[in-house]
Amino acid sequence: MSVVTRFAPSPTGFLHIGGARTALFNWLFTRRHGGTYRLRIEDTDRKRSTVEAIAAIVEGLKWLELDWDGEIVFQSRRLARHGEVARQMLAAGTAYRCYSTPEELTQMRERARAEGRPIRYDGTWRERDPCDAPAGVAPAIRLKAPQTGETLVEDRVQGPVRVANGELDDMILLRSDGTPTYMHSVVVDDHDMAITHVIRGDDHFSNTFRQLQIYHALDWPTPAFAHIPLLHGPDGAKLSKRHGALGVEAYRDMGFLPEAMRNYLLRLGWAHGDDETIATEQAILWFELDGVGRSPSRVDMAKLQNLNAHYIREAEAGRLADAIMARLAADGRPKVASDVLRGRLLAGMDGLRPRAKTLVELADLAAFYGLSRPLALDGKAAKLLDGAARERLAGVHAALANAGEWTESGLDAIVRNHAEQRGVKLGDMAQPLRAALTGSTVSPGIFEVMAVLGPEESRSRLADAIAGLNPV
RNA sequence: GGCCCCAUCGUCUAGUGGUUUAGGACGUCGGCCUUUCACGCCGAUAACACGGGUUCGAAUCCCGUUGGGGUCACCA
């Protein structure tokens, strides 16, 4: 039997990090087994579902490169089928019409709460003669759930868990307006889509017992279930807007690479021995449900950043250059022609990339390559370029005038030599150079910067600084 | 509150009765390298929630306590 899975978010908000991880686990498991991974939008709640949310989810999944198979299934378009199944159950006697009104049910719940009893539907209409039906009241359809015995879930992550059927009441399948409830529609859709493995968040665990009752009532085969623990915030509490409950696009905007997100999310609740950096290709080969832990884990930005730094070091230079240019352009920062900037970024990337944990940092670090002259200096750089420093710079400028070949090692030799002759420490020569060439006190190796910038631009930037032309 | 799940360094985790003075990674703190900042390298810090059992032997099995989480709608 070939594996079929699905990721089934409800479009009431963006794709948050927990949903992203659920999608990843489904995707990995399916790719591992050469199965089919589908996307189903659970939009039966028309009031809360929005097209913006659907777009955000689709975009988030695309950014994470978790491609699904086939067309997206919209649950809302399957209403007729959901109704059909409910009526079939009615005919088979595994469901019944319930004429209790929402008001009555609310009273029932409040009374139960007040008396400290379990909050359940009392089954008023379960055996009652439909002839008693009040006129003008549209009925809801309820499952005639077993009242004795127990329901067992053989969960692939949580293990076997059983619940007494007496704990569960007769849930509503079809509302009085004819629309299906979530419980009913998931079961019908998972069955019709031939889903073999339901991998979802732990928050659905207790729903599983009820869904199983529907499968049993219909005499349908059940899929395997795997409930993965939820993600918590850094403080151990539920994810809140302040940390992890951000949409994945927020992580994209913070400068994280999708492959870093995948690796990080994978390690949250799943392990393969002591392995930490696991590329997606490798993860597909290794991923199994029995490697999923059962305790919830916390989102840790520091570790995500560390992983992101790793993938920045691995990434293809052209891709990073594009990302930098896009970010600089978005801020209106680069001033030089884009082909010039791109050339510099490509040439200087190996000096840039080990210094950044995110694309945001990378872009900030690289910005000086795109600035037009005279460079604006940051506070520390301006302070560094005092009279004495400018005088030293003038000396370097002169020494550089007859530089033969403009290479990193050649420049290094010239400046080092010059500093030695002047009896100045290399650092006292390098820092003013850095300030003059980058406008900052932090940058890649200064000789590399000069080599990337080229003789003309380097000399001009130096001349600007010597002449004190830089704005602060 | 009922039902259900969970519990190893600050965090993510390895560990499935003895090979463990509990391993790795991130973080933190030192040091080395060094033209700045990073990277890299070396070292240090730090955990089996608690209490009972079972066993020759328990982080590993059982029970309880405590703590955390999930769920109890004509929401999904």
Side-chain angles (χ1 to χ4, degrees), chain A residues 96-105 121 125 128 130-142 172 174-178:
Chain A
Y96 61 92
R97 292 187 175 82
C98 168
Y99 293 89
S100 300
T101 62
E103 295 71 41
E104 288 170 344
L105 295 175
Y121 174 61
W125 290 91
R128 196 159 163 186
C131 296
D132 294 343
V137 175
I141 295 179
R142 282 185 189 270
I172 290 178
L174 230 50
R175 300 182 190 105
S176 50
D177 66 359

Side-chain angles (χ1 to χ4, degrees), chain A residues 131-155:
Chain A
C131 296
D132 294 343
V137 175
I141 295 179
R142 282 185 189 270
L143 174 76
K144 198 168 199 171
Q147 294 175 313
T148 56
E150 59 180 23
T151 298
L152 168 72
V153 177
E154 291 274 13
D155 197 88

Side-chain angles (χ1 to χ4, degrees), chain A residues 335-353:
Chain A
K335 299 290 189 334
V336 304
S338 64
D339 57 330
V340 171
L341 173 57
R342 191 178 157 86
R344 289 178 184 168
L345 291 176
L346 254 21
M349 195 59 77
D350 288 340
L352 258 16
R353 63 166 101 221

Side-chain angles (χ1 to χ4, degrees), chain A residues 23 98 144 179 189 197 204 208 238 250 253 300 308 329 439 447:
Chain A
C98 168
K144 198 168 199 171
T179 59
D189 290 350
H197 298 258
H204 287 282
T208 309
K238 257 195 290 189
D253 295 344
D300 177 14
N308 203 50
F447 305 119

Side-chain angles (χ1 to χ4, degrees), chain A residues 320-336 341-342 345 352 359-371:
Chain A
L320 294 179
D322 291 341
I324 292 170
M325 291 178 71
R327 276 167 201 276
L328 292 179
D331 296 347
R333 278 194 280 181
K335 299 290 189 334
V336 304
L341 173 57
R342 191 178 157 86
L345 291 176
L352 258 16
L359 294 177
V360 171
E361 288 179 10
L362 189 63
D364 286 343
L365 199 62
F368 75 91
Y369 278 132
L371 263 25

Side-chain angles (χ1 to χ4, degrees), chain A residues 58-178:
Chain A
V58 166
E59 205 170 310
L61 290 172
K62 281 185 176 168
W63 178 68
L64 283 167
E65 299 164 317
L66 300 177
D67 52 306
W68 56 90
D69 301 310
E71 296 297 307
I72 300 176
V73 173
F74 290 91
Q75 199 156 55
S76 59
R77 296 189 194 154
R78 297 181 34 82
L79 257 44
R81 169 64 177 157
H82 300 143
E84 178 191 325
V85 173
R87 279 186 297 280
Q88 188 183 313
M89 292 171 78
L90 221 42
T94 53
Y96 61 92
R97 292 187 175 82
C98 168
Y99 293 89
S100 300
T101 62
E103 295 71 41
E104 288 170 344
L105 295 175
T106 307
Q107 283 174 16
M108 201 182 291
R109 269 195 299 275
E110 281 170 2
R111 219 178 306 131
R113 205 186 306 271
E115 293 169 18
R117 286 183 291 113
I119 304 161
R120 294 185 205 120
Y121 174 61
D122 63 7
T124 304
W125 290 91
R126 185 177 169 111
E127 304 299 346
R128 196 159 163 186
D129 191 331
C131 296
D132 294 343
V137 175
I141 295 179
R142 282 185 189 270
L143 174 76
K144 198 168 199 171
Q147 294 175 313
T148 56
E150 59 180 23
T151 298
L152 168 72
V153 177
E154 291 274 13
D155 197 88
R156 295 284 292 269
V157 171
Q158 308 291 338
V161 181
R162 54 199 81 220
V163 156
N165 287 330
E167 296 290 332
L168 276 18
D169 62 359
D170 292 346
M171 83 200 94
I172 290 178
L173 267 16
L174 230 50
R175 300 182 190 105
S176 50
D177 66 359

Side-chain angles (χ1 to χ4, degrees), chain A residues 37 40 64 80 182 243 294 299 332 336 362 370 394 396 403:
Chain A
Y37 163 68
R40 184 173 76 218
L64 283 167
Y182 162 79
H243 30 256
R294 285 190 278 178
V299 175
V336 304
L362 189 63
V396 179

